[in-house]
Amino acid sequence: MSETIHQDKVCEKIEQSYHILGKKWMGLIIHALMEGPKRFSEIQTFIPDLSKRMLNERMKELEECGIVLRNVITDRPVRTEYSLTKKGHELGRALEAVEVWAEKWL
């Protein structure tokens, strides 16, 4: 019985991770941030087909998941940078394996 409960928890976590990553643009946003912190406009330049509205929505979701950190820099002019958290970097490294696969097979 205990093994079944553990297996259910593992499946639940896997399903949750696919739910996050299955949303359009999530993987590319994480990929863009693997290079280091970026401003909103820099992410949008990196992914030109991504609308401002959708990027804003995805960034909020990634923040809520603890994958992205939003940092307001109070210098003049005030600007906002986004970076990956430790959790986000680990996810980005996992996605690099998918990138290798894509280069080979797609």
Side-chain angles (χ1 to χ4, degrees):
M1 179 109 174
S2 174
E3 187 176 321
T4 303
I5 293 171
H6 174 72
Q7 198 170 5
D8 288 347
K9 290 282 186 195
V10 170
C11 287
E12 186 179 308
K13 288 181 180 187
I14 292 169
E15 184 178 353
Q16 186 178 5
S17 68
Y18 282 122
H19 178 73
I20 294 166
L21 291 173
K23 292 184 177 182
K24 192 167 184 175
W25 309 114
M26 291 296 216
L28 284 174
I29 293 168
I30 292 167
H31 175 80
L33 291 173
M34 284 296 287
E35 298 174 359
K38 289 197 174 27
R39 293 189 325 267
F40 189 92
S41 61
E42 292 173 314
I43 298 168
Q44 195 171 22
T45 299
F46 189 86
I47 312 169
D49 292 337
L50 177 56
S51 71
K52 287 181 183 180
R53 184 190 64 75
M54 183 57 69
L55 178 55
N56 189 48
E57 185 178 311
R58 293 298 184 244
M59 295 309 287
K60 286 179 182 177
E61 290 172 317
L62 289 167
E63 270 186 89
E64 289 170 4
C65 293
I67 294 170
V68 167
L69 180 65
R70 181 177 179 267
N71 183 27
V72 178
I73 300 165
T74 57
D75 295 345
R76 295 276 184 226
V78 175
R79 63 189 190 280
T80 303
E81 282 188 344
Y82 296 90
S83 60
L84 294 174
T85 62
K86 182 179 178 186
K87 180 179 177 179
H89 273 286
E90 286 187 23
L91 178 56
R93 283 195 296 276
L95 291 175
E96 286 173 348
V98 174
E99 292 171 24
V100 170
W101 177 87
E103 282 293 321
K104 183 176 181 177
W105 296 103
L106 299 180

